[in-house]
Amino acid sequence: RFRAEPADAPDRATPPELARQLTWYNRHLPVPCRLCREFRRRGTIWGICWFRPEAKEAIARAHYTAWLMEEGGEPVRRLMTEAPGELLWRDAMQVVTKPPKMMPRAFA
């Protein structure tokens, strides 16, 4: 979730059009109830969020948001898969899955 403080006010440094897109996500994209699975011996396995194909407006906005970010100098990488991994949570617009071993790691 793209959360800025206060709830629907993006950071002052965020360009206005990008801020509008992030505000839309804050208002329309549910926060997953489950983002990880915890094990006593293996520790925590964090999930990765994917849009479901039916979430056409959210996907279109994600493409536009990615373009805005790239225009601002931020690198963006699009990932697609037909086998996202073990399901941890889902709703009408998105799923959270345990990433497959071959999935590229971000922020590692």
Side-chain angles (χ1 to χ4, degrees):
R1 178 126 171 157
F2 306 100
R3 182 57 69 189
E5 297 297 330
D8 286 325
D11 187 282
R12 294 179 196 267
T14 304
E17 183 58 24
L18 180 57
R20 276 191 287 281
Q21 297 307 310
L22 299 180
T23 297
W24 184 90
Y25 279 105
N26 282 339
R27 290 183 179 162
H28 296 93
L29 190 66
V31 175
C33 296
R34 185 173 184 186
L35 290 172
C36 67
R37 179 174 273 176
E38 296 182 26
F39 297 94
R40 289 183 188 175
R41 294 183 184 188
R42 296 189 324 188
T44 302
I45 297 174
W46 290 95
I48 185 169
C49 299
W50 300 93
F51 288 118
R52 295 177 67 159
E54 301 83 11
K56 297 197 184 306
E57 183 175 5
I59 293 168
R61 286 179 177 269
H63 290 185
Y64 181 54
T65 302
W67 178 80
L68 289 170
M69 293 174 71
E70 286 178 327
E71 287 294 305
E74 294 296 326
V76 176
R77 186 171 173 189
R78 180 179 176 183
L79 296 176
M80 295 176 60
T81 184
E82 291 184 17
E86 177 186 337
L87 183 65
L88 300 176
W89 182 88
R90 71 174 166 208
D91 68 14
M93 292 176 46
Q94 60 195 329
V95 296
V96 178
T97 65
K98 175 183 164 188
K101 292 183 193 260
M102 295 185 295
M103 177 65 59
R105 301 281 183 204
F107 313 112

